[in-house]
Amino acid sequence: GLGCADILVRNGVTPVVFDKYERIGGLLTFGIPAFKLEKQVVEQRREVMEGMGVEFRLGVEVGKDIAFEQLLAEYDAVFLGMGTYRYVRGDFPGEDLPGVYEALPFLVSNINRELGIRDDRPWINLEGRRVVVLGGGDTGMDCIRTAIRQGAESVTCTYRRDEHNMPGSRRDYKNSKEEGAEFLFNRQPIAIVGNGKVEGVKVVETRLGAPGPRGRRVAEPIPGTEQVIP
């Protein structure tokens, strides 16, 4: 959305940017922790763009505060840049147990608290808790490092392939290890276990098979190697 507005204003068009949040930036602001991206950088970008002629209407939700039909009637063109707020679920048993949190809501709630932004959702505080992060990508590393900063008792990351095939940033992985995270490679989660609340993650060991449709080697479960990470 900001990229579109930037190109338009540089070509003589005066764009108006609607955003339901109080700050611009989308996931740059609300999804990436401040220890990776200082939020003042995004605010400075806003000041620059406003100086170029971009108008921001923040805290306005299209479809609620203003009708989409009204935008079509008032403007010559409407660009849709709603962002990427959908996240992947594991689709295995136990995901709905209390104490299981999706990555994005966890990160957003923490950033909102740091920025002093009112959030109707509860803040997810992991201080003093044993944390298991599923997945070895950039989002997983963000969750690891955020949990450590919140004062988690321990943070363990499981990834279904080996260290060499991790999809995330090598720098973030290095930083996570230096900050105290433990990594269990070739472990694929198959269930979250617990009685009334999460008490552990059941995983199975894997080995790398032939490349799949995307060219990455498939993680194949090894029968009889199941274990529970408490």
Side-chain angles (χ1 to χ4, degrees):
L2 296 180
C4 178
D6 182 81
I7 292 172
L8 287 171
V9 76
R10 291 176 187 270
N11 285 274
V13 179
T14 302
V16 180
V17 179
F18 291 85
D19 198 315
K20 70 177 181 179
Y21 297 110
E22 300 176 19
R23 297 198 183 195
I24 72 167
L27 289 180
L28 287 176
T29 297
F30 298 102
I32 299 178
F35 55 78
K36 286 182 63 176
L37 175 64
E38 295 182 7
K39 305 311 171 184
Q40 185 58 33
V41 173
V42 184
E43 286 299 298
Q44 289 174 349
R45 182 62 176 162
R46 172 186 170 183
E47 294 174 4
V48 170
M49 295 185 74
E50 286 177 330
M52 296 168 66
V54 178
E55 178 184 348
F56 290 99
R57 297 187 186 179
L58 304 179
V60 178
E61 184 173 350
V62 176
K64 179 180 178 182
D65 301 313
I66 185 172
F68 184 71
E69 291 74 16
Q70 183 177 341
L71 297 181
L72 293 175
E74 292 185 8
Y75 296 94
D76 298 311
V78 177
F79 174 82
L80 304 178
M82 283 82 70
T84 54
Y85 285 91
R86 279 190 185 174
Y87 39 85
V88 177
R89 293 178 63 90
D91 291 331
F92 40 71
E95 279 189 80
D96 296 325
L97 281 172
V100 178
Y101 305 107
E102 276 101 8
L104 190 55
F106 166 61
L107 294 172
V108 170
S109 75
N110 191 74
I111 292 171
N112 281 342
R113 183 178 177 88
E114 291 181 348
L115 295 177
I117 295 176
R118 186 181 63 84
D119 191 349
D120 294 332
R121 295 164 298 188
W123 176 48
I124 302 171
N125 182 14
L126 301 180
E127 181 179 1
R129 302 170 76 174
R130 299 190 308 276
V131 178
V132 177
V133 174
L134 307 181
D138 289 339
T139 300
M141 300 304 107
D142 290 346
C143 291
I144 289 171
R145 301 180 68 196
T146 297
I148 290 172
R149 282 161 174 75
Q150 286 188 351
E153 178 182 322
S154 64
V155 182
T156 302
C157 176
T158 69
Y159 180 57
R160 65 181 183 275
R161 294 184 177 89
D162 57 20
E163 179 180 3
H164 177 71
N165 285 280
M166 284 184 69
S169 158
R170 307 308 296 177
R171 182 179 63 183
D172 283 348
Y173 168 56
K174 179 176 179 289
N175 289 338
S176 297
K177 288 182 63 177
E178 291 175 347
E179 292 169 11
E182 179 183 357
F183 287 82
L184 295 177
F185 295 104
N186 294 108
R187 303 289 197 285
Q188 181 168 313
I190 54 178
I192 297 173
V193 299
N195 184 16
K197 65 175 183 178
V198 59
E199 296 173 353
V201 178
K202 188 175 183 179
V203 300
V204 62
E205 293 184 21
T206 64
R207 55 174 167 252
L208 295 181
R214 297 183 179 179
R216 303 182 66 194
R217 295 178 66 186
V218 176
E220 301 175 341
I222 302 174
T225 60
E226 295 83 0
Q227 65 180 115
V228 175
I229 302 173

